[in-house]
Amino acid sequence: MQIKAAVARVQGAPLSIEALDIEDPRDNEILVKVVATGVCHTDLVVRDGMLPTPLPVVLGHEGAGIVTKVGRAISKVDVGDHVVMTFNSCGRCPSCQDHHVSYCHEFFPRNFFAARADGTSALSKQGERINGNFFGQSSFACHAICHEANVVKVDAKFDLELLGPLACGIQTGAGAVMNALKISAGKSFAVFGAGSVGLSALMAARVVGAATIVAVDTNDDRLAMARELGATHTINPTRVDATEEITKITGYGVNFALDTTGMAAVIRGAVMSLAPMGTCGILGASAMGTEITLDEVHFMSGGRRLMGIVEGESVPEVFIPMLAELNAQGRFPFDRLVKFYSLDQINEAIHDSETGKTIKPIVRMS
Ligand SMILES: [Zn+2]
Ligand SMILES: [Zn+2]
């Protein structure tokens, strides 16, 4: 079958819209007619060659669509089901067996190697290999092949065009708060970075009833959005010291902090902002080999904690439908972050994401 897809051919260059051939799904694969796909920071990092994903490749890892064909071994979804395609996992390793799929021992190869486990690709162009299966989907295309491990069925009552970002960026932020940090009612929380992930964390903190919610960002427009979405306080660290300001607001620091920037200096400040027994989560990826420094006595003597978090530690089959329901009820309004583009406008969507003009772009396939 022929499909229309956005192909990353040259490092750092715009994606090109091309007609490709896609194989029929194998026995253990699912063909999805993609309705819309979110653009995530990771797509851009890979396009820029900062991870060893081979080019040419079809990126896209926040796909939402309708199942159009299933392999013989598939029982999880049927033709016609509305689905979100999330990150891929092996289903067999100790983490997967323990339902901690975001810590799959094969997370890296299953999501970034852009090939099936046997090394083949379902995508090609007149005989030329095009790498696919990025995050088990490659959903910057009108059709994508995914797997039982990364397909999540959602109720047809939800607006399918909106749901793609729940697959990665939105669940990363919300899950950090709800699944990893497990913030509860009345607690104080500071999020460092008010992009799509940070604002999702902030909205989740509001859902769980955090009393003090502080957003830290250098962009005043983002801080204004943070206030609209439930931040009780906002801090622009280009004007004041964030740690001092958080201590002033809370008296002794926050119970929970979350860094979404991956920047060592920001992480240090986030940990310094913690009250005794406070926990800081980190989820941003920085360059390989980046080190973090902490004030040892401050960290140790306060019983403070620092934890890495991937994909919001979510069990996607449970968490994605839950966030969709909260959104439908108006309690988790991530639609406020979204702007839609057509597939032909995908480079504009990427550009607007990079410049900060759009918080969360979604590319519609038709
Ligand atoms: Zn696994
Ligand atoms: Zn992502």
Side-chain angles (χ1 to χ4, degrees):
M1 184 172 78
Q2 277 235 317
I3 62 165
K4 186 174 167 183
V7 185
R9 285 193 173 271
V10 180
Q11 232 177 62
L15 309 182
S16 57
I17 307 297
E18 302 182 23
L20 304 180
D21 298 306
I22 190 168
E23 291 177 4
D24 255 2
R26 290 182 176 178
D27 286 353
N28 60 350
E29 293 177 338
I30 300 156
L31 181 68
V32 172
K33 181 184 185 325
V34 181
V35 169
T37 303
V39 175
C40 178
H41 182 67
T42 304
D43 294 309
L44 316 186
V45 169
V46 171
R47 179 205 59 180
D48 293 342
M50 287 157 74
L51 286 164
T53 303
L55 304 182
V57 65
V58 175
L59 301 173
H61 63 285
E62 294 183 345
I66 299 167
V67 175
T68 57
K69 210 169 187 179
V70 294
R72 282 184 303 179
I74 300 295
S75 59
K76 190 175 174 185
V77 291
D78 293 315
V79 171
D81 282 350
H82 287 204
V83 295
V84 170
M85 292 176 276
T86 186
F87 61 91
N88 204 11
S89 55
C90 80
R92 293 189 303 258
C93 72
S95 292
C96 286
Q97 296 279 318
D98 205 21
H99 303 292
H100 294 298
V101 287
S102 67
Y103 301 117
C104 175
H105 294 204
E106 294 183 21
F107 188 91
F108 204 77
R110 294 266 172 179
N111 290 293
F112 289 102
F113 280 11
R116 292 186 178 111
D118 70 358
T120 61
S121 174
L123 303 178
S124 60
K125 184 175 186 176
Q126 291 152 4
E128 175 198 11
R129 178 191 170 107
I130 306 292
N131 296 293
N133 205 31
F134 181 67
F135 273 73
Q137 54 187 286
S138 288
S139 54
F140 284 160
C142 66
H143 287 79
I145 286 177
C146 67
H147 314 271
E148 282 204 327
N150 73 324
V151 75
V152 175
K153 190 176 164 179
V154 289
D155 198 301
K157 73 178 180 181
F158 300 125
D159 178 7
L160 194 54
E161 284 191 340
L162 187 62
L163 300 188
L166 295 179
C168 185
I170 306 293
Q171 88 170 337
T172 290
V177 164
M178 293 171 152
N179 305 320
L181 297 173
K182 295 187 169 68
I183 299 177
S184 54
K187 298 293 186 186
S188 54
F189 171 59
V191 62
F192 291 74
S196 60
V197 173
L199 291 171
S200 300
L202 187 154
M203 287 186 280
R206 193 173 187 202
V207 169
V208 301
T212 304
I213 303 174
V214 186
V216 183
D217 200 287
T218 55
N219 180 328
D220 286 327
D221 294 339
R222 293 289 167 93
L223 294 179
M225 176 62 95
R227 281 191 294 275
E228 284 180 35
L229 294 173
T232 57
H233 303 77
T234 54
I235 297 171
N236 186 328
T238 62
R239 290 200 284 273
V240 291
D241 182 88
T243 300
E244 275 176 26
E245 203 61 22
I246 287 170
T247 309
K248 234 188 270 175
I249 291 164
T250 55
Y252 44 79
V254 280
N255 302 124
F256 297 96
L258 181 68
D259 171 73
T260 68
T261 71
M263 294 160 72
V266 179
I267 293 167
R268 182 185 168 87
V271 173
M272 290 302 288
S273 306
L274 290 174
M277 301 290 290
T279 303
C280 177
I282 58 175
L283 51 72
S286 53
M288 293 282 209
T290 300
E291 297 193 347
I292 306 165
T293 61
L294 302 175
D295 179 324
E296 196 271 340
V297 171
H298 172 268
F299 185 68
M300 175 277 295
S301 64
R304 294 176 175 88
R305 288 156 202 231
L306 180 63
M307 66 189 295
I309 305 170
V310 174
E311 297 282 0
E313 293 193 357
S314 89
V315 176
E317 289 85 351
V318 178
F319 198 57
I320 289 174
M322 192 190 90
L323 292 179
E325 180 62 36
L326 285 169
N327 174 260
Q329 292 180 13
R331 298 162 68 194
F332 184 73
F334 77 93
D335 48 289
R336 297 276 310 276
L337 315 180
V338 159
K339 186 178 171 193
F340 287 98
Y341 299 78
S342 70
L343 181 57
D344 292 325
Q345 296 171 311
I346 191 165
N347 291 304
E348 187 187 330
I350 288 170
H351 180 259
D352 288 354
S353 167
E354 286 175 319
T355 59
K357 188 176 161 195
T358 301
I359 299 176
K360 187 71 196 181
I362 296 181
V363 175
R364 279 191 186 113
M365 294 308 153
S366 58

